[in-house]
Amino acid sequence: MTNTITPLRWYAVLAVVFFGILPATMVTMLVARGTTPGEGWLLVIGGVPLVICAVILLFRAWGTTDPELADRLYRRCMAFVAGADVLMLGGNALLRMTS
């Protein structure tokens, strides 16, 4: 029987780093410098908690021994990252297009 959790584990780690932490840092730096038009800080307030939840779920899934629970936690983690990515990067793009 093959272990399907190992690839999912590494995909979740890559998703959190490249699509969660880095975009959150980028948008936060844009808001701090004042280069984001309008209400860009609302994107950070909404997106950063989603990334934090994804990191917490990643650590919970990393520590569990039950493969079904780990699978659910990894998938939920990546869903939170996707939501944060759409909120922060998509919202930033919409703010820039409208101004």
Side-chain angles (χ1 to χ4, degrees), residues 20-95:
I21 295 172
L22 289 178
T25 305
M26 180 184 67
V27 172
T28 304
M29 289 171 60
L30 286 173
V31 169
R33 282 192 299 170
T35 57
T36 300
E39 303 296 325
W41 56 273
L42 289 173
L43 303 173
V44 174
I45 289 174
V48 170
L50 291 175
V51 173
I52 291 171
C53 288
V55 171
I56 290 170
L57 287 171
L58 179 69
F59 285 135
R60 281 188 60 204
W62 196 278
T64 188
T65 57
D66 182 21
E68 291 179 13
L69 177 62
D71 179 57
R72 282 193 307 253
L73 290 173
Y74 284 131
R75 291 179 191 275
R76 193 173 298 154
C77 165
M78 289 188 278
F80 275 120
V81 168
D85 201 30
V86 167
L87 177 68
M88 288 188 294
L89 296 181
N92 189 22
L94 288 173
L95 283 175

